[in-house]
Amino acid sequence: LAGAALSKIVTPGMIQQPPQSTAKILWISSVQGKVGIPSRTSYAASKFAVQGYCESLRAELSASHVDVHVASPGYIRTNLSLNAVTGDGSSYGKMDDTTANGADPHDVAVEILDKVAAGNADFIVASSTSAIAAIWLRLLCPGVLRSLLDKRFVKAEKAKKSKTD
């Protein structure tokens, strides 16, 4: 909600700028704002909210000279998974292999800025082939995606249980 509050504060001033200048608002979402995956419930919910907010804000500002951009990166080498909260509210507290092997943050930042400069409004960066496939499955065959995600969750739960036994 802090990002939405900040947008509400800065947008009026951006709209008042001379028409020949174009102001830009850039939000960082996630591929998980396009497809929710098991064990990232709260994170996915917050990123879906970013996607919806930006889509609405973009329409509201379409008559002004304020462009709204939303970048949805895949895995980036950060401490995100160390600080993540699971669906039951407990701390995840470990570095996922996918995050550890994720894209370099600097490279992702450069790609995002290049896409904003090119005028892309809603785009995916640093994403795997499987993430792109999941996004398409969500649109074209949601039942197939749901089945795959269900299986992924069950497999992860079994692996977790076998480690504790």
Side-chain angles (χ1 to χ4, degrees):
L1 295 175
L6 180 60
S7 288
K8 287 181 180 184
I9 292 168
V10 301
T11 302
M14 296 171 97
I15 291 170
Q16 293 173 4
Q17 295 298 313
Q20 65 272 18
S21 66
T22 301
K24 297 181 183 310
I25 297 173
L26 169 61
W27 283 70
I28 306 297
S29 180
S30 170
V31 167
Q32 291 181 44
K34 303 240 180 227
V35 176
I37 63 169
S39 302
R40 296 289 190 276
T41 310
S42 297
Y43 182 75
S46 70
K47 296 307 179 179
F48 269 85
V50 166
Q51 294 291 150
Y53 183 82
C54 290
E55 194 171 299
S56 297
L57 186 62
R58 186 177 302 119
E60 292 171 6
L61 297 176
S62 65
S64 72
H65 50 277
V66 179
D67 296 335
V68 178
H69 304 269
V70 59
S72 298
Y75 290 106
I76 303 172
R77 266 191 320 274
T78 67
N79 289 334
L80 178 68
S81 64
L82 292 172
N83 301 315
V85 177
T86 65
D88 67 6
S90 62
S91 175
Y92 188 67
K94 60 184 174 181
M95 177 66 76
D96 287 337
D97 289 340
T98 50
T99 302
N101 296 315
D104 178 75
H106 179 268
D107 294 343
V108 174
V110 168
E111 185 176 358
I112 288 170
L113 293 176
D114 286 347
K115 287 188 180 272
V116 169
N120 296 323
D122 191 345
F123 53 91
I124 297 167
V125 294
S127 190
S128 66
T129 304
S130 62
I132 300 294
I135 291 167
W136 281 106
L137 279 174
R138 182 173 184 264
L139 294 170
L140 301 173
C141 303
V144 172
L145 178 62
R146 186 174 50 250
S147 177
L148 291 170
L149 292 175
D150 290 350
K151 289 175 185 175
R152 178 179 174 161
F153 179 73
V154 169
K155 181 179 175 182
E157 288 297 300
K158 284 181 183 177
K160 192 179 351 177
K161 186 176 180 186
S162 71
K163 286 182 183 179
T164 59
D165 289 345

